[in-house]
Amino acid sequence: MRFLFFLPFFLWAEVNLSVILTKPKSYVRDFYLTEFMRETNDSVLAYKAYYALYKKKMTHLKILSKFDFFKPIYKCVNPSVKDVGRIDISCILNNGLWLRSIAKLDKKQLSYLYEKLPEGREKDAVYAFLNSDFSKVFSYRELGYYFILNYPKKIIDQEIKDFSIFEDKYFDRFVKSAVINNLTQIRLSLSRIDYKKFNDKVKWWLFLNEMKFKEYKKALKILKSVRKKGSKEYFWLWMLSKKDIYLDKLLNNRRINFYTLYAHEEKNIPFEIKSKIVFNKVKKPKYNQENPWDVLKFWDEFGKRKDLFNFAKELDSEKSEALKALVLDKAHKFRINYFITPKMYEDKNLSFKAFVYAIARQESRFVPASVSRSYALGVMQVMPFLVRQMKGDVFSQFDYNQNVKLSVKHQKWLFSKLKDPLMVAYAYNGGIGFVNRKVLPYFKYKGEFEPFLSMELVPYDESREYAKKVIANYVIYSHIFGDKNLTLHRLLKK
């Protein structure tokens, strides 16, 4: 099997599996192995590629299921609702069924599972659905966590008098799920516990729980008790108390983030930004940022180098500008805000151009040969399935022009559907389906402490923080490109 493969000196060449296997184990190599598995019709070579993977995923098993002999194996490792009763019960025991899948089973299927399953969490879960009785789902730790994390529906909402069996290092996840999914009876129960004995992660979600109940005095007490406060905590302490002592904490933080930027706008104090860092003193940089294998070598050396300022000098070229920015950031101990502007996209619409740069900075810090754990590609981190959907070439995504072109097309489509830059940021990270199902129905721009409270309650952790960073980047890049009127205050005031 042959396909396009990135090689130095910007050349594309056809190589076979043996060449891929000479490369270092990494997510970059896994991306190429995955594409090889997807394209080959040779089951032996596909298996060879599979066993060479650095990190194996369910996606890889799904690809292998195109071979007839592997289909029964895939059914076993990834059982679906329709397979219940058709596959060996050991498949379900070893790999489990999602609670959402169990909820879709009919009485006959549930009875079959209940009869076959041994005593334990899964059997007790099946019993609850079979008898429509969820009163005992919090009777012991394993079952309670199973439901609260995987099936946080109103049907399980109930008063919990004693949380002690759940008060372990994962308790913040328990509290978060109850708060975000608005399980009112559980939330009321959480309001009665002694917040002082918990760690800062738990306290944060107990704080938000009281904010949702509009118990602002108690929320303030909980937040004050947080031991290690950061920008987020100081922002909310200021919002609730309006005391300048908390605003000053934000103003004294030299690092730009959503909260510190808002505080600087509040006092009309500009942030120090540095965007020009390349003077092209190096004709041939040590690493080419468009070569994924070079980027891997860069990360390896970056983790070992002590003389970071000298390392930055070795990267003083447009061909390694993004890498130099990363080195300088660490060299200055993250006290200088680098917002570089590599030549990757032009648009007369400066607002949209700023948004494109805002996404790129958050996705990859402008490193064009970036590959994520999920194989998102390039400076804009476009997923391979989306590249194909837009008729692009997955093997050309380490080129600024190719990757940005597809991403811009996708962003314009998202704006046509959502209009709002904040919602587009959520959608770029979590998908438009996530925004339509999990964000828009609950998000508020008007009301006390809005939209900030809604922003803290977005369900997915990554998307929640991602959008804050993108929207701050958006304001900064708008100013860099000449639009001084855009601020967080204006952007979030609907």
Side-chain angles (χ1 to χ4, degrees), residues 344-386:
M344 64 171 209
Y345 180 66
E346 285 298 331
D347 199 312
K348 292 180 180 179
N349 183 336
L350 296 182
S351 178
F352 184 72
K353 178 182 177 181
F355 192 83
V356 172
Y357 274 76
I359 292 284
R361 187 180 192 275
Q362 180 55 31
E363 288 288 352
S364 66
R365 288 295 297 268
F366 297 102
V367 178
S370 295
V371 179
S372 76
R373 294 181 180 185
S374 58
Y375 312 139
L377 304 170
V379 66
M380 307 304 294
Q381 291 290 272
V382 184
M383 291 297 292
F385 79 88
L386 195 56

Side-chain angles (χ1 to χ4, degrees), residues 99-100 103 124-125 128-129 132-139 142-161 163 166 173-174 177-179 181-187 189:
L99 283 173
R100 288 186 179 87
D124 290 339
F129 285 104
S132 299
D133 179 6
F134 297 88
S135 62
K136 295 181 180 180
V137 297
F138 296 107
S139 59
E142 289 75 15
L143 187 62
Y145 267 108
Y146 191 34
F147 270 93
I148 197 71
L149 299 183
N150 299 292
Y151 198 75
K153 305 289 185 181
K154 295 293 184 184
I155 199 169
I156 72 167
D157 192 19
Q158 58 192 274
E159 181 184 10
I160 300 177
K161 294 182 179 180
F163 285 96
F166 304 111
R173 301 182 191 180
F174 188 108
S177 185
V179 173
N181 292 287
N182 204 28
L183 301 179
T184 309
Q185 293 304 311
I186 298 177
R187 288 181 53 222
S189 302

Side-chain angles (χ1 to χ4, degrees), residues 187-204:
R187 288 181 53 222
L188 285 167
S189 302
L190 287 167
S191 287
R192 293 191 285 268
I193 63 177
D194 180 12
Y195 65 85
K196 295 176 184 176
K197 66 179 181 178
F198 295 107
N199 64 35
D200 289 350
K201 288 182 179 180
V202 175
K203 286 179 180 178
W204 173 253

Side-chain angles (χ1 to χ4, degrees), residues 12 31 290 344-345 356 359-360 363-364 366-371 375-384 386-387 390 392-411 428:
W12 291 93
F31 158 66
E290 292 188 354
M344 64 171 209
Y345 180 66
V356 172
I359 292 284
E363 288 288 352
S364 66
F366 297 102
V367 178
S370 295
V371 179
Y375 312 139
L377 304 170
V379 66
M380 307 304 294
Q381 291 290 272
V382 184
M383 291 297 292
L386 195 56
V387 174
M390 294 189 288
D393 178 5
V394 292
F395 302 113
S396 299
Q397 296 309 303
F398 301 138
D399 174 76
Y400 267 146
N401 294 330
Q402 294 291 325
N403 194 247
V404 173
K405 181 180 178 181
L406 291 183
S407 177
V408 164
K409 183 179 179 181
H410 182 52
Q411 288 179 57
Y428 197 89

Side-chain angles (χ1 to χ4, degrees), residues 31 74 94 96 136 195 237 301 337 423 460:
F31 158 66
Y74 180 66
N94 292 333
K136 295 181 180 180
Y195 65 85
L237 285 168
E301 182 171 356
N337 298 293
M423 294 302 133
Y460 297 164

Side-chain angles (χ1 to χ4, degrees), residues 439-456:
V439 181
L440 283 174
Y442 312 102
F443 202 93
K444 298 175 183 176
Y445 269 107
K446 294 183 179 180
E448 199 167 11
F449 303 112
E450 296 294 359
F452 308 104
L453 186 55
S454 290
M455 292 175 73
E456 304 292 9

Side-chain angles (χ1 to χ4, degrees), residues 310-344:
N310 286 332
F311 191 23
K313 290 177 182 178
E314 296 168 15
L315 300 167
D316 188 28
S317 166
E318 288 183 359
K319 294 179 180 179
S320 55
E321 180 178 5
L323 306 182
K324 182 180 180 182
L326 290 168
V327 174
L328 285 174
D329 210 11
K330 186 178 179 181
H332 287 288
K333 298 181 179 179
F334 308 102
R335 292 173 181 169
I336 295 178
N337 298 293
Y338 289 101
F339 280 74
I340 61 173
T341 55
K343 297 174 183 177
M344 64 171 209

Side-chain angles (χ1 to χ4, degrees), residues 196-235:
K196 295 176 184 176
K197 66 179 181 178
F198 295 107
N199 64 35
D200 289 350
K201 288 182 179 180
V202 175
K203 286 179 180 178
W204 173 253
W205 288 104
L206 291 174
F207 156 73
L208 288 176
N209 190 40
E210 298 305 324
M211 290 295 292
K212 287 188 73 174
F213 280 132
K214 298 187 177 180
E215 294 289 342
Y216 302 134
K217 288 184 178 179
K218 186 175 180 182
L220 183 57
K221 285 183 179 179
I222 295 173
L223 201 55
K224 283 182 176 180
S225 74
V226 170
R227 295 177 184 84
K228 191 174 181 181
K229 298 179 181 69
S231 298
K232 181 169 62 175
E233 288 79 16
Y234 286 125
F235 175 83

